[in-house]
Amino acid sequence: MGWKIAAAFFLLSAAMCGQAQAWGQEGHAVVAEIAQHRLNKDAYEAIERLLRTHLKLEEPATVSLASVASWADNYRSAHKETSNWHFVDIPLASKPGDASAGATAYDPARDCKDNASFGTCLMKALPAQEKILADLTKSDEERWMALAFVIHLVGDLSQPLHCVERMDGTQGDQGGNALTVTFNVYRPKPDGSTYRDLTTFHAVWDSSLILFKYYDWGNVASDIETDIIPNLPPLPAAEQTPEKWLAECHERAEDAYRALPKGTVIKSDNPHAVILDQAYFDQFSPVAVEQLALGGLHLAAVLNETLATDK
């Protein structure tokens, strides 16, 4: 059951701020697009009504989930109290280049502390927004905002670097935002050149691992539907919980860090010290794309359950 992507999506996307975002706008759009094709009737009708009311659109005009998938990042720029809603700082167990290390389990008391200025972590923020979305006594405006947060936060929960914090002593790397890397891969061009960019480890996972294979998010979503989702193992309903998704997300983060050059430090005097080459891209681009697919499936499950009796 798909929705036609309205012009509102492109207008909204153009207005988004330029700050670093989980998955980037493209990745969040992919997660939302995958989910919208799997909405049940109750969820579809409730979401359509909330979005149409918020955007002041008359029938038959419609919008897609993708049109609001990055709204929460834009909102965060002026509402710092929601900053911590987007991630969970589970400590990294492995060290770069150490193939023998395991993964750290989520500890709510350690990893999800409330902060008076920046809010709580994703694992508390997401159920709180689901509760608002499901509450028919709330106003349409409150519920539409909760819907936008749920769409975005479930996407964040599939981005590995939103499920980890690497510490060097007392210094953390902010989910890879403080780790400068050189992204050095081949990208097909008329001259067949190699692309080289000084960026952050987080940004590589947000966008580069995806967009250096695909040039627009529509192609990503299309390939996921035809090549990725049909080949995923069955997802038992009993295991489909945010806690389970978080554990899997963190395991992918451990893998991502283990593959860095041995001895990688958070801050380096040489900003070109950490090079992510073609081999890293070839190994982890499929992982990033699969995480988008899982994010879309998880989002559909959350929305269908939350809005099951919305009348």
Side-chain angles (χ1 to χ4, degrees), residues 72-73 76 82-88 122 152-153 156 162:
D73 276 329
R76 176 178 57 180
T82 68
S83 297
N84 288 356
W85 293 15
H86 297 254
F87 56 87
V88 189
L122 193 160
H152 188 88
L153 296 180
D156 284 345
H162 277 245

Side-chain angles (χ1 to χ4, degrees), residues 131-151:
K131 184 177 180 179
I132 295 172
L133 178 59
D135 189 347
L136 300 183
T137 69
K138 298 292 186 182
S139 68
D140 283 348
E141 185 65 13
E142 290 174 300
R143 295 185 70 212
W144 116 256
M145 289 181 64
L147 170 64
F149 272 120
V150 168
I151 293 169

Side-chain angles (χ1 to χ4, degrees), residues 4-12 62-63:
K4 188 176 294 183
I5 298 174
F9 168 70
F10 300 101
L11 294 175
L12 190 71
T62 187
V63 291

Side-chain angles (χ1 to χ4, degrees), residues 49-59 61 63 141:
R49 183 182 65 79
L50 287 171
L51 290 181
R52 188 187 292 126
T53 299
H54 172 70
L55 294 171
K56 297 179 174 59
L57 296 174
E58 300 292 336
E59 294 190 62
V63 291
E141 185 65 13

Side-chain angles (χ1 to χ4, degrees), residues 13-305:
S13 295
M16 291 296 174
C17 63
Q19 68 187 60
Q21 302 168 5
W23 288 133
Q25 293 175 27
E26 300 88 355
H28 276 291
V30 170
V31 169
E33 180 78 359
I34 297 300
Q36 75 179 27
H37 292 295
R38 292 164 174 80
L39 296 175
N40 60 34
K41 183 175 183 293
D42 286 338
Y44 175 90
E45 291 177 351
I47 290 169
E48 187 176 57
R49 183 182 65 79
L50 287 171
L51 290 181
R52 188 187 292 126
T53 299
H54 172 70
L55 294 171
K56 297 179 174 59
L57 296 174
E58 300 292 336
E59 294 190 62
T62 187
V63 291
S64 68
L65 294 186
S67 68
V68 296
S70 290
W71 172 87
D73 276 329
N74 197 36
Y75 185 84
R76 176 178 57 180
S77 65
H79 296 270
K80 300 300 183 185
E81 69 276 10
T82 68
S83 297
N84 288 356
W85 293 15
H86 297 254
F87 56 87
V88 189
D89 282 341
I90 303 176
L92 188 70
S94 61
K95 295 181 180 180
D98 182 0
S100 63
T104 309
Y106 171 59
D107 179 350
R110 179 195 61 206
D111 307 329
C112 199
K113 296 176 181 177
D114 294 335
N115 184 291
S117 299
F118 301 108
T120 189
C121 89
L122 193 160
M123 295 302 287
K124 290 182 180 178
L126 177 57
Q129 294 303 306
E130 288 179 41
K131 184 177 180 179
I132 295 172
L133 178 59
D135 189 347
L136 300 183
T137 69
K138 298 292 186 182
S139 68
D140 283 348
E141 185 65 13
E142 290 174 300
R143 295 185 70 212
W144 116 256
M145 289 181 64
L147 170 64
F149 272 120
V150 168
I151 293 169
H152 188 88
L153 296 180
V154 174
D156 284 345
L157 189 52
S158 65
Q159 211 280 41
L161 268 61
H162 277 245
C163 305
V164 69
E165 175 80 346
R166 183 191 173 205
M167 301 297 296
D168 279 352
T170 60
Q171 182 182 26
D173 76 345
Q174 301 169 32
N177 277 300
L179 177 58
T180 301
V181 301
T182 298
F183 187 63
N184 191 39
V185 300
Y186 173 79
R187 186 175 191 177
K189 293 181 179 180
D191 60 358
S193 64
T194 297
Y195 181 87
R196 188 178 179 91
D197 183 35
L198 190 65
T199 183
T200 69
F201 190 44
H202 191 98
V204 167
W205 275 88
D206 268 354
S207 298
S208 301
L209 289 176
I210 302 163
L211 296 182
F212 273 71
K213 180 177 180 181
Y214 302 93
Y215 290 90
D216 66 76
W217 69 266
N219 288 337
V220 187
S222 178
D223 268 17
I224 285 175
E225 290 284 11
T226 58
D227 299 334
I228 306 298
I229 290 178
N231 295 311
L232 289 175
L235 303 177
E239 295 185 14
Q240 293 313 301
T241 66
E243 291 75 19
K244 176 68 173 178
W245 304 338
L246 175 62
E248 294 169 347
C249 177
H250 183 72
E251 287 177 4
R252 301 293 83 73
E254 294 277 356
D255 293 340
Y257 275 90
R258 272 195 290 267
L260 290 174
K262 192 170 184 177
T264 295
V265 296
I266 294 175
K267 296 290 186 180
S268 172
D269 294 334
N270 179 7
H272 298 280
V274 181
I275 298 177
L276 302 186
D277 58 10
Q278 189 70 41
Y280 191 95
F281 178 84
D282 291 343
Q283 179 179 354
F284 287 105
S285 178
V287 175
V289 173
E290 182 173 302
Q291 287 298 115
L292 291 176
L294 291 172
L297 297 178
H298 298 162
L299 177 57
V302 168
L303 293 175
N304 286 335
E305 180 178 354

